[in-house]
Amino acid sequence: MVQLLWLIPALPLAGFVILALAGSRLPRRLSAVTGVGTMGVSAALTVWIAAGFLQGLPGHPAYSRIVWSWLAVGGLKVGISFYLDALTLTMMLVITGVGFFIHLYAAEYMAEDEGFSRFFAYMNLFVCAMLILVMADNLLLLYLGWEGVGLCSYLLIGFWYTDPANGYAARKAFVVTRVGDTAMAVGLFLLFDQLGTLQIQDLMIRAQGAWTAGSFLPTIAALLLLGGAVGKSAQLPLQTWLPDAMAGPTPVSALIHAATMVTAGVYLIARTHVLFTLAPAVMAVVAIVGAATLVLAGFSALTQKDIKRVLAYSTISQIGYMFLALGVGAWAAAVFHFMIHAFFKALLFLGAGAVIHAMNDEHDMFKMGGLRREMPLTFWTFLIGSASLAALPLVTSGFYSKDLIIWQAFASVQGGIGLWAAALAGAFLTSLYTFRMVFLTFAGPTRTPVTKRPGRAINIAMVVLAVLSLFAGFLEIPNTLGGGVHLFSGFIQNTLPATVLAVSREAYESLFEWISGGTALLGVAIIYVLILRVPDFTSALAGSPTGKLLHRYWFSGWGFDALYDRILVRPYVFLARIDRDDIIDSFFDLISWFGGLAHRVLSITQNGRMRTYAAGLAIGAAVVVGMAVLL
């Protein structure tokens, strides 16, 4: 079983190589078979390995496989080697499984695009990089995958590069995430310098032995890794790139938000949880960052018109829930919500893409409406995903994963009433913006005619993800609801520590479940009235001076882009212009001038006269022979 681990990332990589080398010469059908097929085989192999892994529990909770030696420089020895445990397997199943259905969907969605083969080449490379990231047993190989997903996100966000806005969005994602990546790289240097290894498991053991909780070095190391995590996962203050990343094709958005890139930060913190437990102050920062992000992103989602940008801010908010869970030590809850979020967020993006495709590339929800009758399958699957995102109680997977985080944000020994209130406020906002999106898109009168309906591949992908969005949550049911089911937490506890609850708070679990479930339902009821029953009142409220001010502020993402433009971009451009003609540039200008002069002199010899060329060759040969003899 473990001997075949390397094949899981190798198969998408092979698909990338074939598609990249063949290019447009490969027929579209064969390009689709290569891109989707390699992902399908990788997903099937992951399921087979998962079955073998589960048979080995609890006696063998982890496996390691070295493929070959990569680097051996001084004291640094790094291999291309993979590590399999419960956390890795969860990530692999989501990446390959959800990734396969997104690829299947894309085969139909992108069928008429000129860059069809190039698209699947990038998508396969993206999945390969993410698999390397989560399967690596050392931080250097993990960092290779980390930078790989950054590169692929740039290529895919700017896939339609003929539009300058798409190129800008791709560059923005690349530059903003580079800030966090730089912090992470410094953290890796620090860890190797202090602990002498980058092997993750050895590093955790040495950190526990060498450092005491709350001391300076683990705090700095954890902060630097957190810098990388907030960049990739689009958390405060590096969240500004993700809404603009909607410039890419919809399958790209689904892959980035559900199965790859933005979940990398969550995985990094969970994988290096020992370092973070040695830095309690940083754990508190993780929780605060998550709580603040989920609330701010919720307000921004509430004001968007573009259906994909609503989902983008929703992802920022839901990743915020995962950070909140990590910060209070609710490790299993964070990973469980990651998995459930992958199902319903992929479904929502695919549903949004089906709507956009059907309406001739229309993104504005206020120009939609009435699609419940025109696209019934898309409506019902999108409704299931929306209900799971809004965490409607008892019947959706999202309720069980999000409610677990909300409860443990209060009940954990590292939690408290403030973090719980932020999580509850985020749940209320989520139900508001989610069903605002549903009602504007699918209810009311038809505003734009449907020109194209989804085909079989799109429908299959949406139906499968809808089933997972409904039923996957039943892997983890609280004790207060029918005795409790703890299959997921029991599985993941072989890798991540159990959450420590404050004894004085455990008795309130049932009450807090009722509050969170009621909050989600209240949000749906309020937005139903505002959108469908009293739209004139809603328009008047939004048109008031205060409403316009808040709308503009939230719509712009709380003004972070404008702030960064003023304090970072403009000063940098100003200094660059001043520095453009300094003395150092003059030196390089001189080199360029000499190169041009040499070109002009040598071009004189290119006169087209064969006798001159023969004479030059003879003279040159004589000079070389003379130098050999005399010297």
Side-chain angles (χ1 to χ4, degrees), residues 352-528:
V355 169
I356 292 167
H357 216 44
M359 305 189 73
N360 199 24
D361 206 35
E362 179 59 68
H363 288 235
D364 190 342
M365 296 183 296
F366 288 89
K367 295 180 180 179
M368 298 177 185
L371 296 181
R372 177 177 61 85
R373 297 177 295 275
E374 299 288 337
M375 305 173 68
L377 181 63
T378 301
F379 164 69
W380 285 110
T381 54
F382 195 90
L383 181 63
I384 289 170
S386 299
S388 194
L389 170 59
L392 297 191
L394 303 180
V395 295
T396 64
S397 294
F399 168 74
Y400 295 102
S401 61
K402 188 184 290 185
D403 178 73
L404 187 61
I405 293 176
I406 295 173
W407 160 241
Q408 294 188 353
F410 169 75
S412 166
V413 293
Q414 295 160 285
I417 193 68
L419 296 174
W420 171 80
L424 192 67
F428 179 67
L429 290 169
T430 302
S431 61
L432 288 178
Y433 69 67
T434 300
F435 277 87
R436 170 181 175 265
M437 174 176 60
V438 172
F439 295 143
L440 287 174
T441 304
F442 293 97
T446 302
R447 300 181 182 90
T448 303
V450 172
T451 59
K452 183 185 296 184
R453 285 176 171 78
R456 182 180 300 174
I458 289 177
N459 287 334
I460 288 173
M462 291 193 299
V463 168
V464 172
L465 290 168
V467 171
L468 292 170
S469 298
L470 269 180
F471 298 113
F474 295 109
L475 292 172
E476 193 71 22
I477 301 175
N479 294 329
T480 53
L481 297 175
V485 175
H486 305 289
L487 294 177
F488 185 83
S489 57
F491 169 68
I492 208 74
Q493 71 181 4
N494 289 289
T495 301
L496 298 171
T499 307
V500 181
L501 302 180
V503 177
S504 60
R505 301 172 186 170
E506 291 188 47
Y508 299 101
E509 183 174 4
S510 182
L511 173 64
F512 277 66
E513 286 168 0
W514 280 98
I515 292 173
S516 61
T519 299
L521 293 173
L522 178 63
V524 176
I526 289 174
I527 204 66
Y528 171 79

Side-chain angles (χ1 to χ4, degrees), residues 12 43 65 80 124 139 163 201 233 235 356 374 500 539-540 619:
R65 175 66 176 171
I80 303 295
N124 278 29
L139 288 176
D163 186 343
Q201 304 309 315
S233 292
Q235 297 293 284
I356 292 167
E374 299 288 337
V500 181
S539 299
I619 293 170

